[in-house]
Amino acid sequence: MILTVTLNTALDLTYRVPALVPHASHRVTQVIERPGGKGLNVARVLGALGHETVVTGFAGGATGETLRTLLARTTAGQPVHDALVPTSGATRRTVAVVDAASGDTTQLNEPGPAITPAEWTAFTGRFTELLAGARAVALCGSLPPGIHVGAYAELVRLARAAGVPVLLDTSGEPLRRGIAARPDLVKPNAEELAQLTGSREPHRATRDARRRGAHAVVTSLGPDGLLAATPDGLWQASPPAPVKGNPTGAGDSAVAALLAGLVDGADWPTRLAHAVALSAATVLSPVAGEFDATAYEALLPRVTVHEPATAA
């Protein structure tokens, strides 16, 4: 199985409005509730791709109960197995407001509940147990209050000690400390990469991030695709054309594709092509953690993967 970790889970609410106008009242035409947080989105996409997945992290309060109920109802592909650890605080909510006129999305994210030292100890025990059956693990998203900034570095070291490949997808100081623990793969976006390395030139920054400890670095370039610094060289993968829609969860779908490629033993060009196609197909879906399967199949053969000239 593939294990995904979401320390700051969320109940995702998506509101669709005809047009989002500042300082105005809006009539919501559609409301969608989904279990959320980056690792849960990754797990749901992996399940839809046919991979057995287990999710862990924290869930608490009424929103946490709703999240777990919705997670149990996930029906696309393989079921997602719930190994979330209870917390006394209430799971946060995130609200995505989709403007039907423009296709743009406005995102509002709550901070999450404070995690106690005892709850963190319970989680690390659960995580260590789950590693015994994992083929790969993804550590995803922000840290809730109360968890020390080196938490992901601690989890990377536990995964490496268990011989389980680990992907890290976070930002800021947790990314800086986590990458030094030598994960197999990190997947920042361009802004997160610039904050980590101090460079906004993607090729230089991606290679610099890899020198900081990661075995491989895959940088999201938004609508322009992905850039990867790997042991086999530098690769760039691009969609045939930018797509418009709800970008929430697109990066999580890319992580799911990269994990699937890792456990399937695919080469880097194949992994990146699937990640770009799946990410674009997620933008075309109205809800994070889901993708347009028809678009995915149509986009995949049209993704271009090449070695940039700057790789020399």
Side-chain angles (χ1 to χ4, degrees), residues 135-209:
R135 299 177 64 193
V137 59
L139 310 175
C140 303
S142 60
L143 298 179
I147 293 184
H148 64 96
V149 74
Y152 280 134
E154 179 181 345
L155 299 182
V156 169
R157 287 191 287 268
L158 287 172
R160 286 179 56 82
V164 179
V166 56
L167 181 152
L168 177 62
D169 183 13
T170 188
S171 61
E173 190 62 22
L175 172 60
R176 188 181 306 278
R177 298 199 186 192
I179 200 171
R182 305 187 67 81
D184 294 86
L185 175 62
V186 296
K187 197 214 70 65
N189 60 35
E191 182 59 33
E192 292 162 351
L193 186 70
Q195 292 175 2
L196 174 69
T197 65
S199 173
R200 292 192 174 274
E201 200 292 304
H203 299 87
R204 180 183 302 111
T206 299
R207 286 180 291 193
D208 179 36

Side-chain angles (χ1 to χ4, degrees), residues 229-250:
T230 78
D232 299 327
L234 194 67
W235 302 91
Q236 186 160 354
S238 305
V243 295
K244 291 199 68 174
N246 181 5
T248 307

Side-chain angles (χ1 to χ4, degrees), residues 3 54-58 68 71 81-86 123 126 130:
L3 175 64
V54 174
V55 297
T56 190
F58 295 100
R68 300 182 85 159
L71 189 63
H81 301 288
D82 178 354
L84 295 166
V85 174
F123 167 78
R126 176 73 60 84
L130 292 168

Side-chain angles (χ1 to χ4, degrees), residues 67-160:
L67 180 151
R68 300 182 85 159
T69 299
L70 293 171
L71 189 63
R73 294 176 184 167
T74 302
T75 57
Q78 290 285 334
V80 176
H81 301 288
D82 178 354
L84 295 166
V85 174
T87 180
S88 57
T91 295
R92 66 185 178 132
R93 295 162 297 183
T94 67
V95 179
V97 183
V98 180
D99 183 326
S102 66
D104 292 335
T105 300
T106 299
Q107 189 81 13
L108 304 172
N109 297 328
E110 295 180 358
I115 304 302
T116 68
E119 290 167 346
W120 176 247
T121 298
F123 167 78
T124 55
R126 176 73 60 84
F127 178 72
T128 302
E129 292 170 358
L130 292 168
L131 285 173
R135 299 177 64 193
V137 59
L139 310 175
C140 303
S142 60
L143 298 179
I147 293 184
H148 64 96
V149 74
Y152 280 134
E154 179 181 345
L155 299 182
V156 169
R157 287 191 287 268
L158 287 172
R160 286 179 56 82

Side-chain angles (χ1 to χ4, degrees), residues 3-29:
L3 175 64
T4 73
V5 173
T6 311
L7 298 177
N8 209 5
T9 57
L11 180 63
D12 284 349
L13 304 174
T14 301
Y15 295 157
R16 292 187 67 85
V17 299
L20 184 60
V21 181
H23 316 298
S25 296
H26 296 78
R27 185 175 297 279
V28 177
T29 58

